[in-house]
Amino acid sequence: MRLGVCWYPEADDRRLWADDTMRMRDLGLQVVLLAGAAWSSFEPERDLFRWEWLDEAIALADDAGLHVVLGTPTANPPRWLVAEHRDAVAFSRFWQPRTSVQPLCVTATATRAESRRIVGVMADRYGEHEAVIGWKLDEAAASFEQMACWCGECASAFSRWLERRFDGDIAALNSAWGTVERSETYPSFDAVHLPRTGRGVNGGLVLAHRRFVAHQRRRFLDEQAEIIRVLSPGRDLITHHDLRHDDLDADVIAGVGTIVGIDNNLPGGQLFVRNGFTHDLGRGLLEGRPTWVLHQELGARQSVSVAEAPTTDHVSRVLWAAHHHGIETLLAARWRGATHGVDQDLVALLDHAGQPTVGWRGVEQYLREVGAADPNQLVVPSARCALVYRFDDAAVGSQPDHHRSVVLDAYSGARRCGFDVDVVPPGRDLSAYDLVLFPATRIVADDSTSSFESAANADALVIVGPRSFDMDAEHGHVVGPVPAGADAVVRAAVSTSVTLSTPAVMDPGGCEGGQWSESYRLTVDADRATKVLARWIGGGALNGAPAVVRRGNVVSMGGSSTEAWARLITALTGRKLAPSGVEVVERGGVEVTIFDPSAMPSLWR
Amino acid sequence: MRLGVCWYPEADDRRLWADDTMRMRDLGLQVVLLAGAAWSSFEPERDLFRWEWLDEAIALADDAGLHVVLGTPTANPPRWLVAEHRDAVAFSRFWQPRTSVQPLCVTATATRAESRRIVGVMADRYGEHEAVIGWKLDEAAASFEQMACWCGECASAFSRWLERRFDGDIAALNSAWGTVERSETYPSFDAVHLPRTGRGVNGGLVLAHRRFVAHQRRRFLDEQAEIIRVLSPGRDLITHHDLRHDDLDADVIAGVGTIVGIDNNLPGGQLFVRNGFTHDLGRGLLEGRPTWVLHQELGARQSVSVAEAPTTDHVSRVLWAAHHHGIETLLAARWRGATHGVDQDLVALLDHAGQPTVGWRGVEQYLREVGAADPNQLVVPSARCALVYRFDDAAVGSQPDHHRSVVLDAYSGARRCGFDVDVVPPGRDLSAYDLVLFPATRIVADDSTSSFESAANADALVIVGPRSFDMDAEHGHVVGPVPAGADAVVRAAVSTSVTLSTPAVMDPGGCEGGQWSESYRLTVDADRATKVLARWIGGGALNGAPAVVRRGNVVSMGGSSTEAWARLITALTGRKLAPSGVEVVERGGVEVTIFDPSAMPSLWR
Amino acid sequence: MRLGVCWYPEADDRRLWADDTMRMRDLGLQVVLLAGAAWSSFEPERDLFRWEWLDEAIALADDAGLHVVLGTPTANPPRWLVAEHRDAVAFSRFWQPRTSVQPLCVTATATRAESRRIVGVMADRYGEHEAVIGWKLDEAAASFEQMACWCGECASAFSRWLERRFDGDIAALNSAWGTVERSETYPSFDAVHLPRTGRGVNGGLVLAHRRFVAHQRRRFLDEQAEIIRVLSPGRDLITHHDLRHDDLDADVIAGVGTIVGIDNNLPGGQLFVRNGFTHDLGRGLLEGRPTWVLHQELGARQSVSVAEAPTTDHVSRVLWAAHHHGIETLLAARWRGATHGVDQDLVALLDHAGQPTVGWRGVEQYLREVGAADPNQLVVPSARCALVYRFDDAAVGSQPDHHRSVVLDAYSGARRCGFDVDVVPPGRDLSAYDLVLFPATRIVADDSTSSFESAANADALVIVGPRSFDMDAEHGHVVGPVPAGADAVVRAAVSTSVTLSTPAVMDPGGCEGGQWSESYRLTVDADRATKVLARWIGGGALNGAPAVVRRGNVVSMGGSSTEAWARLITALTGRKLAPSGVEVVERGGVEVTIFDPSAMPSLWR
């Protein structure tokens, strides 16, 4: 794993730069990311460009042997530009203009034009610079609420987008969304409005709005990519994601680039497993392409509560975790502590007094440990387990947290059995995997069906979790038994589906089944090959009914907890089960512990 | 109790209808409700009516011997109609247009005109159809926040409404609201604005705004009722309420109809007593008229957490509870599972695969049990207990939840003593009851005073709870001792009134007194007939002071908990006390258990 | 301590007034506050003044020997005036007009003109009345959110205010706010907008906005004060504060007056220490000037939950606490219970039936006890401890609650050691104190530096808490070691600064260090005089590192809890430590217990 750093020379004293780039090199860094937040520094007034400082910074990095990635600066337009385009400012659902982060609506014609202009100018100047190896496109796509805009241009663009999506056929939209319910039949695409409030809104509309927001972002980035590809041939294009949110479809957005870049902080206040999941989710977005961590925080911000102050060892372990999860390049955030702005309390490599921080020392320790390690143990092998994940599935129904819980249960269950896991979008051929998981893969469509069939037909062990294959691609409920497709293979269909505040128990095994719980009835064609592996204890109408059913290599599991997935997988694969919370993988024939809470319990409490 | 079902044939395949209506009949259903959500299906474009399908559906229902109730469709106007009347769209207090449920403001002139038009057309066509026995008016009136609108037409209508209410005399408004406080004296009715924020708003204004919202709804429904009465003579008019909310005055709205219809779900996640209270509250709105459950959910939605998945037995018990609480007709929601829209995860009688659900099986079980029961035990006798309930009382002060707690305490206390309870609005003659409860009947006015006097003079046992008779009808505090009126009978007045986070205890009895707690001082005219039945232990200034005082048949009780009401009632009536949580009534001389948590603890945990 | 009462004769029957003023005198009251909520009573229509009633009320008070304070009525403008100035109505950040309390924007030109007009008229009439001893200016400045306005006039006024603050130099603003970060460099003051949403906003902008809101209020009051000083010479000017909020700078506002007036309720539901802190904070705003409680609630409102109903003894203790904390005059809120409006459930001296309440009896008891007390014990001596408090410090970073916790920890630690405490703004000469505390005094500026140096050089014991001297006056992080200034004296600088959800422990002492936790490294110039008094146990990277460091009379303490401050102070001063929660001071050579939770645990639970 290659290390680098986010560098904001525009905020530092110019006399420090030469020394800083040499110190970066000496620390062992190989990449710097810059320019993405510096638009007002290189274009302080319209068409008045100041490139000298950026020329110098790039040259110094180059001199130090550092590769350079340039950020397109469109998330941080200069205030003079915002002032010129007041009508392009994004609005919240409460009519509040966004005045700080990503202030301009990416749908607005003016925003698009400015974006093309500045990217063109930058790419023209630096596109073929030999130090420049890639471009980061705009800033992280964060949560839906943060990225969505309710301005007038978005309102009409949404209608046009729907019109294209449904080939101009409003009857097709009405059919897909089932608008006959509650008399919501739309007479035209113009009559469909952005849903500004949540109560009682048709699920098809909600889901379409999410897709629209992701799509508008994709179009915005497409325009940048088209320009860069021409002016900066051969360079990588890196999309930027905050995968801790699951309400904006990163699959749609990632497709514009050649590298997926994710944000990460130290996993304080949450389970370590989310950290690994985020890596593997990022890794799954572009098949076979590298994945970067673009902005890795290496300490605890003052403004965030943690159970313990991170130690050098903590930081090193986090870097090792990224390594073992297959991250190719990781950029520390950031070189020097910011005196101002939203990253004011971020723990950089150097603090506000210019002293090395715990982040710096963690990087040193990690590189020292890598140097001392058996090279065979540094290689990340191909994963033998795939977990199918679709962002839209979290948008189905009103319980996105429960959805992610089930996904993380499945993921951590597999990891406790020592599996490296590829988190993959539906549609891939999964026949080469040993274990394939469909945890709450709600939407049944050609892509998810073909993935399921590729695995089921290939004799991979396939486990389908609760609330899978029960919705169509437009938020309609499946007509017929569910999990649709799997029911025919296992010959069992869901009989009761419920959200339990008090989990029921699966017997044998004694594992809790979590909140999303389903029982099965065997279908009329069930035969002796259909095996009931567990039944429910408790849960009211669930009690006594099948909870886990298997036929051949396909298993339907009606409940979910880390323990339940882990025990099922260990029972069916014979893999050794690590203690609760411990993440172990094989590297070069040796068991390597990525994370052990008993050895490092503190930050993750 | 007659059973029926909400039927949405417009959403189903037409080829299923004939069979479906026969299956309804065979299951034992007698009534279908339809058309209320189908406006866009019978008027897909302005003045282009498509009645054939509805004609057929009604005919099929008629053929199957089912009675038909038609819903007026005004809560679900077609999108083409909403698009024509953008200025009639309702707005939230945050300026958000309501785009989905009940999108049009019922005050708006355009909404009113469209309402009269479509109801006229429907009533003209079906008003005298022999299968049609009634009309449901619009949709459920839910919470205040959901029903209120802050548009411009509402703003001026509010001023006009106040002008009529105060006979054009702004001085009368100022006097009633005590606007001399804080210099809020209004120069004119036009100067009174809808309260868009809550902080520091005069209570009289808040209360008037609530009344206005209920009144506008009433006027809206009045217009529909006037048309239907002419064109559909002799048919019932059913108003639709969600009585789980108490911030919109159902008394005002119910008066337009001949039958009260309520919504209900399975009582998961709350005490069963609320279920019974809701029935009895609905039953009390129109004296001597039938009460329906219009929309009874018979399973647990996926989107709602429950302690256990409901069983057939659960469902049957819920139907029995409705029966024993005097519901005349109950409609299951709904025939087939909706594939789309807000009821997508509602558990219908048939699931998305067309299979019978737990709801279906519960209906079967209930009807089987009814068939096997002693007919004497099926008759619901007249209640011997009345509980006086005024919706506006919950709007007095800032603690509506505490208000409802006190009401439910009193209600469940009486039920644990085996009383059937009539929940009645103030103003009725209560002289025929054995037991009359005034729990937190805050507003003292002619109606509540006359009800109190009718009971007190008739030698009914009368119990007045904390915070009763302390406010006037415009949210002014009573000048003089409280509970006003009762103080003179009992010869004791409230000395301290407080909200306790840690309840104090009533001695003897040892019951907790709840949060709203008051002590009494005996007035100068108290004599030996004034008996202090209990004193407070704890509660600071309450300690040692009278908590319950009786004189003759009237009791003032300064605290409230289910246990306190139950023990006081059992002590004063000699009635047997059922164990905590158990609801027992006498039917045909036999004790019948409506609900026993030890036998069915699960869903209601 | 002198007692008085808020009197609203405009809301009472005029026939009660003469008797009421005599009863006030007989109870022992000496001051009445009136007129501040009565504008519509003395100017019911524009330019139609009705002074007779106010003349009479003042004359009656005068006859009874009561001093009169008049409130300027601008927080409660008549509705006819609001109706004339719709464009001057204040707006929330969600575009909601404020319709009730303080409805007009104090920036608006129209509001300012009306304010000058009415204050001029009042001061002209009553300014030289012999009974009038002072003027209360407008109403309490409450929380930032309640006082801020987002109207158009505020938006442009904010730009103009910044322009003056930065001497017309936009580059100076950009430098101070570090807008080079994220490309937020402003091209002009007009391009700086009011921050309507919170996400990602530059800290300098947030802090400036707070200052602007306080400054606009100050300017508004300045205009009133200028008029009164001319027309009512020699009278006191009283500013009105609600110091339970810390997000509006009371220092800025208090400067306009000669007396600080604060609001207070009975300290139910919170620690008693906050009650004393509020007094001492108010007392510190105007050095050497009297402090009043303008609005002391003497009972528990029905709408607020308390652990127990307050007793006469409770009320008396609260009055004693005010006495011992140096309050000069305390006004009970209010004479008669309000029948209407937001104070409808406030416990006045007389209840709605005209009967004395627990408040009345508490006043009687307090005055009786004062009369019986040793006069030496009634004198409040000069405090020997100063605690430096800056309102802006709470606005730095995103954890205002943690900031106030640290402040209250330090305050109560000192009080448990028997210190009277002066809470003072930075900038004062503190050389005369024995003990000087800088708990989370974040902003390092000339004023805080000079206060620190005055104490450090004078051999006072100086204790600097966590997160002190780490930010500059415009929300920039200090460049260099922190706590800046103290680091050079103690010769130790912060090495790790973190917010812990699980507090670490300081050893020896065994005290928890709270949430804001910092460890120190000794600097290169540290010598044997630099003593590590305690080290951290736990806390991850904190573990084993210095937690408390002393050199000479200056101590840096990296954690905070009441216990930690108390034990450190007792160890370093030799003062006796009172049990947890007990507040003891010396009065006339005798230990006086202000508050003992074991004797009176109830309301404050």
Side-chain angles (χ1 to χ4, degrees), chain C residues 312-371:
Chain C
T312 302
D313 208 42
H314 279 142
V315 172
S316 169
R317 292 311 302 165
V318 168
L319 296 173
W320 270 112
H323 181 128
H324 283 307
H325 280 274
I327 297 301
E328 192 217 37
T329 300
L330 179 146
L331 308 186
R334 56 196 257 173
W335 179 247
R336 288 182 177 275
T339 51
H340 296 84
V342 293
D343 284 343
Q344 204 169 19
D345 68 344
L346 180 147
V347 176
L349 296 179
L350 297 174
D351 70 14
H352 297 100
Q355 298 299 310
T357 64
V358 69
W360 177 290
R361 293 187 298 271
V363 167
E364 283 182 329
Q365 177 174 326
Y366 164 73
L367 289 172
R368 198 164 54 235
E369 289 171 355
V370 165

Side-chain angles (χ1 to χ4, degrees), chain A residues 117-350:
Chain A
R117 182 183 68 86
I118 195 64
V119 170
V121 172
M122 287 180 75
D124 188 46
R125 184 170 191 91
Y126 298 112
E128 308 206 57
H129 193 298
E130 64 175 3
V132 173
I133 62 167
W135 295 80
K136 178 178 81 78
L137 302 177
D138 203 72
E139 273 282 350
S143 70
F144 169 79
E145 204 68 26
Q146 289 165 358
M147 305 307 292
C149 166
W150 278 264
C151 77
E153 280 201 69
C154 281
S156 55
F158 183 48
S159 292
R160 296 291 76 71
W161 178 83
L162 288 168
E163 193 162 17
R164 285 190 301 278
R165 185 172 175 87
F166 289 99
D167 292 327
D169 180 4
I170 191 66
L173 177 148
N174 284 313
S175 170
W177 293 0
T179 54
V180 65
E181 282 285 331
R182 299 236 172 195
S183 191
E184 292 198 348
T185 310
Y186 290 100
S188 68
F189 289 98
D190 284 329
V192 187
H193 300 300
L194 294 175
R196 193 172 278 274
T197 54
R199 179 178 173 244
V201 180
N202 179 293
L205 173 56
V206 172
L207 186 53
H209 185 213
R210 295 218 181 184
R211 287 170 172 160
F212 167 72
V213 171
H215 182 268
Q216 290 305 96
R217 186 158 184 79
R218 168 64 184 262
R219 283 299 306 140
F220 174 73
L221 300 184
D222 273 342
E223 292 184 0
Q224 299 194 356
E226 283 157 23
I227 292 164
I228 295 170
R229 272 193 291 264
V230 171
L231 297 176
S232 191
R235 271 65 174 186
D236 273 305
L237 293 171
I238 311 173
T239 53
H240 192 175
H241 308 269
D242 184 347
L243 297 178
R244 292 163 293 190
H245 301 283
D246 56 9
D247 51 7
L248 198 68
D249 193 335
D251 261 332
V252 167
I253 294 160
V256 67
T258 60
I259 289 179
V260 167
I262 64 175
D263 270 358
N264 207 16
N265 53 8
L266 286 192
Q270 52 181 332
L271 290 175
F272 196 77
V273 66
R274 284 177 190 258
N275 187 57
F277 178 76
T278 303
H279 291 137
D280 291 337
L281 176 57
R283 214 166 36 73
L285 293 175
L286 287 180
E287 196 171 7
R289 298 289 313 155
T291 305
W292 288 23
V293 177
L294 284 173
H295 196 264
Q296 173 71 54
E297 299 197 15
L298 293 175
R301 288 172 180 256
Q302 278 189 338
S303 56
V304 173
S305 281
V306 290
E308 291 196 0
T311 63
T312 302
D313 208 43
H314 279 142
V315 172
S316 169
R317 291 312 301 166
V318 169
L319 296 173
W320 271 111
H323 181 128
H324 283 307
H325 281 274
I327 298 300
E328 192 217 37
T329 301
L330 178 146
L331 308 186
R334 54 197 258 172
W335 179 247
R336 287 182 177 274
T339 53
H340 296 83
V342 292
D343 284 343
Q344 205 169 18
D345 68 344
L346 180 146
V347 176
L349 295 180
L350 297 174

Side-chain angles (χ1 to χ4, degrees), chain A residues 180-184 199, chain B residues 6-8 10 33-39 70-77 98 100-104 106 115 119 135-143 146-147 217-218 220-221 224 238-244 248 250 253-254 256 261-264 294-295 297 301 333-334 342-343 346:
Chain A
V180 65
E181 282 285 331
R182 299 236 172 195
S183 191
E184 292 198 348
R199 179 178 173 244
Chain B
C6 305
W7 186 32
Y8 302 87
E10 68 273 19
L33 167 63
L34 75 172
W39 191 344
L70 295 175
T72 69
T74 39
N76 304 294
R98 282 212 301 259
S100 293
V101 182
Q102 294 163 317
L104 297 181
V106 297
S115 164
V119 170
W135 295 80
K136 178 176 81 80
L137 302 178
D138 203 74
E139 273 281 351
S143 71
Q146 289 165 357
M147 304 308 292
R217 186 157 185 80
R218 169 64 185 263
F220 174 73
L221 299 184
Q224 299 193 355
I238 310 173
T239 54
H240 192 175
H241 307 269
D242 183 347
L243 297 178
R244 292 163 293 189
L248 198 68
I253 295 161
V256 66
I262 64 175
D263 269 0
N264 207 15
L294 285 173
H295 196 265
E297 299 198 14
R301 287 172 181 257
R334 55 197 258 172
V342 293
D343 284 343
L346 180 148

